[in-house]
């Protein structure tokens, strides 16, 4: 969608952008405090989501002899990568 660039349009945009910047200045420290709380309350939380860098364990190179995609054996699929 096109529009005509005017001084008023840029002023409106800058006003909205500055409101967003002020909001983020308040939100970022809040999230820092929240994560600090979790790191202190739950030791090891900072490692959530970390994985070894081995594409075979991410499912891109599944071994069909090991991963049969059946619901009954689903809990064993991820334990083959160690």
């Amino acid at each position: 969608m096109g529009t005509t660039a005017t001084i008023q349009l840029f002023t409106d945009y800058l006003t909205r952008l500055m409101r967003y910047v002020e909001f983020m200045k308040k939100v970022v420290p809040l999230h820092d405090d929240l994560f600090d709380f979790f790191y202190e309350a739950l030791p090891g939380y900072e490692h959530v989501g970390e994985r070894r860098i081995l594409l075979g364990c991410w499912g891109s190179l599944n071994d069909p002899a090991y991963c049969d995609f059946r619901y009954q054996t689903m809990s064993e699929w991820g334990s083959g990568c160690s």
Side-chain angles (χ1 to χ4, degrees):
M1 171 161 69
T3 187
T4 304
T6 63
I7 293 173
Q8 183 63 45
L9 182 73
F10 284 113
T11 302
D12 292 346
Y13 174 75
L14 182 62
T15 302
R16 290 184 193 135
L17 182 64
M18 288 297 104
R19 285 192 351 222
Y20 176 73
V21 168
E22 290 302 317
F23 174 74
M24 291 310 296
K25 285 180 182 178
K26 296 174 186 173
V27 171
V28 169
L30 175 80
H31 283 99
D32 287 341
D33 290 344
L34 184 62
F35 279 109
D36 289 343
F37 169 78
F38 278 112
Y39 292 156
E40 186 177 324
L42 301 168
Y45 184 78
E46 65 275 7
H47 299 294
V48 170
E50 288 183 3
R51 293 182 177 201
R52 293 182 330 147
I53 300 177
L54 179 60
L55 293 177
C57 287
W58 288 11
S60 59
L61 299 172
N62 286 326
D63 181 1
Y66 184 77
C67 181
D68 59 6
F69 297 102
R70 291 185 311 136
Y71 182 78
Q72 292 81 4
T73 59
M74 181 168 71
S75 62
E76 301 167 7
W77 298 346
S79 62
C81 297
S82 53

